[in-house]
Amino acid sequence: MTMPTTLSTPESATRAIVRGDLLDFTADPGFATPLEAPGVRWRPDHVVLIEGGRIVAVQAADTPLPEGWADVAVQDRRGQLVLPGFIDTHVHCPQLDVIASFGTELLDWLNTYTFPAERRYADPAVSHAGAQRFIKALWAHGTTSAVVFPTVHKVSAQALFEAAHAANMRMVTGKVLMNRNAPDGLRDDVEQAERDCLDLIQQWHGKGRQAFAVTVRFAPTSTPEQLAMAGRLCLAHAGVFMQTHVAENRDEVRWVAELFPDARSYLDVYDRDGLIGPRAVLAHGIWLDANDRAALREHGAQIAHSPSSNLFLGSGLFDWRQAQREGVNVSLASDVGGGTSLSMLRNMLDAYKIQALQGTRLTAWKALYTATLGAAQSLGLADEIGQIEPGRMADLTAWHWSRGDVAQHRDALARASHASKSAQDALHERLFVWMTLGDERNLDTTWVAGRAVFQSTPAV
């Protein structure tokens, strides 16, 4: 695989055409059977016309091109699956340094692996190199937008914003708030943290495709005073996001109850300070109760379900169907490095396993919707990302249906069975095989704002 060695701003007037088999969604397929699921939009052999980083038209490949487009080179991905770029709603940039570390649950994981790795990001050179490595890694896994935790250091957020802005990539991030229960080199204080956040908001929030997130590590590492300050930032600055962790692990939940004995629940620690709103992204949410889920529903907040991480750290099984039944928005996240892969395909497979253990069968429709249009809607960004639709940014990916003998054999059998099934059921069978057996090695090309930022083979 090859990736660009530098990031640069694409020319705004560049035109491009991508040809392939397009799949996206117009509505939530829900937990219906593959045949009954609504909102699936399948457009085989279509072209996507791109100008200035945005999609300007989508049409069948055999339809004449509009005037002025005949000389634009076609990036031909016929026979490949073309999707909107994936949206990872919870991932840690510095934790690429500790992915695949052995033998701990959440709290030990933080102290043993995560905090020592994050302390190194006080060095601007480490932060900038880490941001470049991280963004390229996202692209190489088919992810084009992300809600990201850097570290407590202002420079780590600055580096992410700079790298994403240079590539015209949608990035939601912000300096981590953490002023207690953390080692030296990873604690801030309320006043300086507020100044750093205000500086980053002024410089980056709303600049290009960048958005600031008030980023509370988790309740145990912030004092009540810092949480109150974070709430004030959310209320004072329209459009900022809020990201944090909640109810990931039972020991963590017990610790929060000891630290905040006057709070009704872990979620209430955040809610009473105004941190839970329509742009709040709370990772995990495994051990919430019905009152917590009602609060999330009423505020329009979302749970970033992190299946790979939940399994790897032994945190528990998130009941996705119950959350949806009670009106909670759910997006999908890798949570690297607790998660073991940036690949959203691998995380979809882990999500399927978690739901199967609870008697629910997660369709490929629901999984893919959640990582594209569903996430965009939950983030309030559906007018920009999540669909292959005129007016949206041209964040796209092209995938091979199979890689390797076993997957190719299984894909061939799925295609051969189409004659005996409805078109939607047959397509789902093939797509589910792809989701189950595929990973980043299936990825051919990633486009961000119409520019190819990753290709699996060198461009000719």
Side-chain angles (χ1 to χ4, degrees):
M1 295 183 178
T2 60
M3 288 182 284
T5 56
T6 59
L7 303 176
S8 59
T9 304
E11 296 181 7
S12 61
T14 300
R15 283 182 168 184
I17 299 175
V18 174
R19 181 176 183 176
D21 298 335
L22 313 185
L23 176 66
D24 66 353
F25 298 87
T26 60
D28 185 352
F31 287 95
T33 66
L35 179 60
E36 296 169 339
V40 178
R41 182 162 60 176
W42 171 242
R43 293 172 286 182
D45 200 16
H46 272 56
V47 293
V48 183
L49 279 59
I50 301 163
E51 185 170 18
R54 290 190 181 271
I55 298 168
V56 296
V58 180
Q59 63 184 57
D62 59 4
T63 302
L65 292 170
E67 184 177 353
W69 285 83
D71 294 332
V72 178
V74 177
Q75 299 178 57
D76 195 340
R77 301 299 186 272
R78 269 179 283 185
Q80 293 183 18
L81 179 64
V82 177
L83 298 170
F86 289 137
I87 304 164
D88 190 339
T89 57
H90 177 68
V91 59
H92 295 256
C93 169
Q95 289 189 26
L96 284 181
D97 297 358
V98 298
I99 191 172
S101 294
F102 171 75
T104 60
E105 292 189 3
L106 172 64
L107 300 180
D108 287 338
W109 164 271
L110 292 173
N111 290 316
T112 303
Y113 300 117
T114 300
F115 288 160
E118 292 190 358
R119 194 159 41 213
R120 295 194 292 270
Y121 279 68
D123 182 341
V126 172
S127 278
H128 284 90
Q132 296 275 336
R133 181 187 312 111
F134 174 75
I135 285 178
K136 292 176 186 178
L138 290 179
W139 297 340
H141 289 78
T143 295
T144 55
S145 300
V147 182
V148 183
F149 267 67
T151 70
V152 73
H153 313 103
K154 180 183 178 183
V155 68
S156 69
Q158 182 81 17
L160 278 170
F161 279 131
E162 289 174 359
H165 183 64
N168 202 13
M169 175 188 182
R170 167 54 72 180
M171 174 67 64
V172 179
T173 191
K175 182 205 111 59
V176 174
L177 300 175
M178 196 158 63
N179 71 335
R180 67 169 174 174
N181 292 323
D184 293 344
L186 283 179
R187 293 189 306 274
D188 54 15
D189 63 69
V190 176
E191 293 76 16
Q192 185 60 52
E194 185 173 19
R195 288 193 293 272
D196 288 346
C197 288
L198 290 171
D199 286 347
L200 289 166
I201 290 169
Q202 182 176 17
Q203 184 177 1
W204 289 109
H205 185 62
K207 181 176 182 178
R209 302 182 70 189
Q210 310 310 299
F212 184 83
V214 175
T215 303
V216 177
R217 180 47 170 271
F218 68 153
T221 51
S222 286
T223 59
E225 292 75 19
Q226 187 171 71
L227 292 172
M229 180 272 287
R232 291 195 299 272
L233 286 175
C234 291
L235 292 172
H237 299 277
V240 299
F241 290 82
M242 193 287 295
Q243 61 174 339
T244 191
H245 301 80
V246 68
E248 176 179 358
N249 170 284
R250 282 174 287 192
D251 288 341
E252 169 208 16
V253 172
R254 285 191 285 267
W255 190 21
V256 170
E258 294 169 2
L259 292 170
F260 299 91
D262 54 339
R264 187 198 66 78
S265 68
Y266 191 160
L267 184 78
D268 186 53
V269 173
Y270 302 133
D271 195 10
R272 63 188 185 174
D273 280 318
L275 289 164
I276 308 299
R279 291 201 166 196
V281 183
L282 298 104
H284 308 294
I286 300 169
W287 304 104
L288 299 175
D289 62 22
N291 289 327
D292 294 328
R293 290 189 291 273
L296 291 173
R297 180 186 67 247
E298 290 164 6
H299 289 299
Q302 67 183 284
I303 293 296
H305 176 33
S306 307
S308 172
S309 174
N310 296 162
L311 292 174
F312 187 70
L313 297 179
S315 300
L317 305 179
F318 176 70
D319 192 335
W320 189 345
R321 191 163 198 159
Q322 179 187 46
Q324 175 149 326
R325 186 168 57 246
E326 297 183 23
V328 178
N329 296 324
V330 178
S331 54
L332 199 62
S334 70
D335 191 29
V336 162
T340 53
S341 176
L342 289 169
S343 169
M344 296 304 280
L345 288 184
R346 292 191 182 189
N347 280 279
M348 290 174 199
L349 176 58
D350 283 341
Y352 176 87
K353 296 171 184 176
I354 286 173
Q355 299 315 306
L357 285 168
Q358 300 171 93
T360 293
R361 300 296 168 176
L362 176 68
T363 66
W365 303 139
K366 178 66 171 176
L368 282 167
Y369 163 82
T370 303
T372 55
L373 179 60
Q377 290 175 333
S378 293
L379 293 169
L381 297 173
D383 60 345
E384 176 194 336
I385 54 178
Q387 282 183 306
I388 306 175
E389 181 78 12
R392 308 298 189 270
M393 296 299 294
D395 295 347
L396 304 169
T397 53
W399 300 82
H400 297 282
W401 281 98
S402 58
R403 287 293 203 191
D405 290 345
V406 172
Q408 288 170 3
H409 171 70
R410 184 64 181 88
D411 180 59
L413 291 176
R415 284 186 283 119
S417 71
H418 281 196
S420 62
K421 299 181 178 181
S422 71
Q424 181 155 314
D425 221 16
L427 179 60
H428 183 269
E429 180 185 359
R430 193 180 186 198
L431 195 70
F432 187 78
V433 170
W434 169 79
M435 185 187 89
T436 303
L437 299 181
D439 56 29
E440 66 275 14
R441 289 168 292 188
N442 292 62
L443 181 63
D444 182 273
T445 309
T446 300
W447 293 269
V448 169
R451 183 173 67 106
V453 293
F454 170 84
Q455 290 183 287
S456 61
T457 55
V460 177

